[in-house]
Amino acid sequence: MAGPAHADHGESSERSSVATPVVCRSIGELRTVVNAERMAGRRIGFVPTMGALHEGHTSLIRIANEMTDTVVVSIFVNPTQFGPTEDFDTYPRQLDTDLEACRNSGAQIVFTPTKEQIYPGTSFFSMTIQHLADHLCGASRPGFFNGVVQVVNKLFNIVQPDLAVFGQKDYQQFRILERMAEEFHQPVQMVMAPIVRANDGLALSSRNAYLSREQRRIAPGLYRSLRFIQQHLLDGVSVPARLIGHQKEELRGKGFEIDYLGVYSAQTMQPLERISDEELLLAGAVKLGDTRLIDNMLVKPSG
Ligand code: AMP
């Protein structure tokens, strides 16, 4: 079986039809390869990831493939979005399997930069996020979205994609990045892809690998609670506090620790006490042991 190709220069015009992705380890290599694609008139799609790829990630690569000519996948475990007590050191890293997944889902270019490439020396600049990071994961993981915005901004500047695909699994992240691209006039079309789930409803996540057999059995409880609340909202419940309180108790009873569970405006990311006819984000974050799981659903009340 052929291994991944490495960036060498001068043969990029054929790359879109070659199944084995070109692996670029440096910004210079990546720019040379992507520029050649662009010069050949190809639209560039981009899927940023932290690796440990599963079918959620490969669904994004497939969507990017359908919508553009050449797909770049980045694999970079970004240190600046992990808190001091979070799992940066233990986050799963499996480059060989990831390259295979990129190949099978049709990525043409894989960017695997080192930390030194992305963060050379002291950083003097940062972006602050107003309002959109006040709640949900922004509240429970201080600095997380600043790290995400920092790295995706850098990656957009490096790859300069025409289109980028992100998962609804991280809905708040999508909203923040979509707004970043809009406010900073970055010429990239932002696409949100549906959540890919296991048969029992659990949203696929690289962190699911941490779950014990027993925790994995319990884990779809979050999805079930969200479905339960969603159904009641669609049935006309307009003040969801009691419903949510009840589901939190249910989840605690099953062994979950609740980080948050609630109903938010899908636009502003602010909590909603009363349902109107605007689109809602129903979202939860829980812990099973040390493993943090998130999930969400978008709900459009019938009014
Ligand atoms: P990550 O590697 O966790 O940073 O995720 C990279 C991208 O994959 C993000 O845009 C995520 O929202 C997306 N993603 C992760 N899990 C899923 C899933 N189960 N379904 C759809 N997209 C996902």
Side-chain angles (χ1 to χ4, degrees):
M1 191 184 299
H6 291 277
D8 54 358
H9 312 305
E11 49 180 83
S12 53
S13 57
E14 288 174 33
R15 272 184 187 125
S16 293
S17 57
V18 175
T20 302
V22 177
V23 179
C24 301
R25 301 224 156 85
S26 73
I27 295 172
E29 284 173 330
L30 189 277
R31 284 205 162 124
T32 304
V33 173
V34 172
N35 277 342
E37 294 294 299
R38 204 174 285 113
M39 293 297 284
R42 301 197 177 103
R43 266 168 59 79
I44 310 297
F46 180 40
V47 180
T49 81
M50 297 207 300
L53 302 184
H54 49 67
E55 284 169 44
H57 298 107
T58 55
S59 74
L60 310 190
I61 299 172
R62 290 200 172 86
I63 291 170
N65 225 328
E66 278 166 24
M67 299 182 76
T68 60
D69 305 306
T70 300
V71 177
V72 180
V73 176
S74 64
I75 298 177
F76 179 63
V77 185
N78 173 37
T80 67
Q81 69 189 67
F82 287 80
T85 60
E86 294 184 349
D87 55 345
F88 175 72
D89 290 331
T90 53
Y91 196 84
R93 289 162 172 88
Q94 44 171 62
L95 190 57
D96 288 346
T97 345
D98 285 349
L99 292 176
E100 199 56 29
C102 288
R103 185 161 85 144
N104 292 337
S105 47
Q108 285 84 11
I109 301 168
V110 182
F111 181 40
T112 58
T114 58
K115 190 171 142 246
E116 289 69 29
Q117 284 274 313
I118 301 294
Y119 298 108
T122 312
S123 182
F124 291 96
F125 295 91
S126 66
M127 279 197 223
T128 47
I129 304 162
Q130 309 291 349
H131 309 304
L132 292 176
D134 289 352
H135 300 281
L136 300 134
C137 290
S140 47
R141 300 182 70 186
F144 167 67
F145 285 120
N146 303 78
V148 170
V149 157
Q150 181 184 34
V151 77
V152 174
N153 190 31
K154 282 170 180 270
L155 290 169
F156 278 2
N157 288 333
I158 295 166
V159 178
Q160 300 186 11
D162 296 288
L163 175 148
V165 188
F166 298 86
Q168 185 194 317
K169 161 102 185 313
D170 301 273
Y171 182 83
Q172 188 178 23
Q173 167 174 287
F174 180 78
R175 274 292 298 138
I176 289 171
L177 293 175
E178 182 185 48
R179 189 67 199 170
M180 173 190 84
E182 197 180 317
E183 273 189 36
F184 290 93
H185 307 286
Q186 292 173 319
V188 51
Q189 181 186 346
M190 301 289 282
V191 174
M192 186 173 77
I195 300 176
V196 177
R197 302 178 178 282
N199 287 340
D200 57 9
L202 176 66
L204 298 190
S205 163
S206 306
R207 290 191 167 98
N208 291 352
Y210 300 150
L211 297 172
S212 70
R213 186 189 278 258
E214 179 58 10
Q215 289 169 336
R216 175 64 188 80
R217 192 183 64 75
I218 299 164
L222 174 59
Y223 167 74
R224 290 198 202 107
S225 281
L226 292 175
R227 287 280 299 196
F228 185 84
I229 299 168
Q230 179 191 44
Q231 197 51 56
H232 282 74
L233 296 178
L234 290 171
D235 286 347
V237 169
S238 60
V239 181
R242 267 185 58 195
L243 187 58
I244 288 165
H246 181 252
Q247 284 308 305
K248 282 185 177 173
E249 280 316 305
E250 289 271 310
L251 286 169
R252 284 194 192 101
K254 287 178 186 156
F256 290 91
E257 190 188 313
I258 313 280
D259 182 347
Y260 62 80
L261 182 72
V263 177
Y264 303 83
S265 155
Q267 284 306 304
T268 65
M269 304 283 94
Q270 300 300 310
L272 293 177
E273 278 165 25
R274 177 171 281 280
I275 308 306
S276 64
D277 54 1
E278 73 169 309
E279 190 175 29
L280 311 174
L281 175 73
L282 177 56
V286 294
K287 273 184 127 182
L288 274 177
D290 289 334
T291 306
R292 189 169 182 276
L293 304 174
I294 59 171
D295 201 348
N296 70 75
M297 285 170 198
L298 287 165
V299 187
K300 183 91 187 126
S302 47

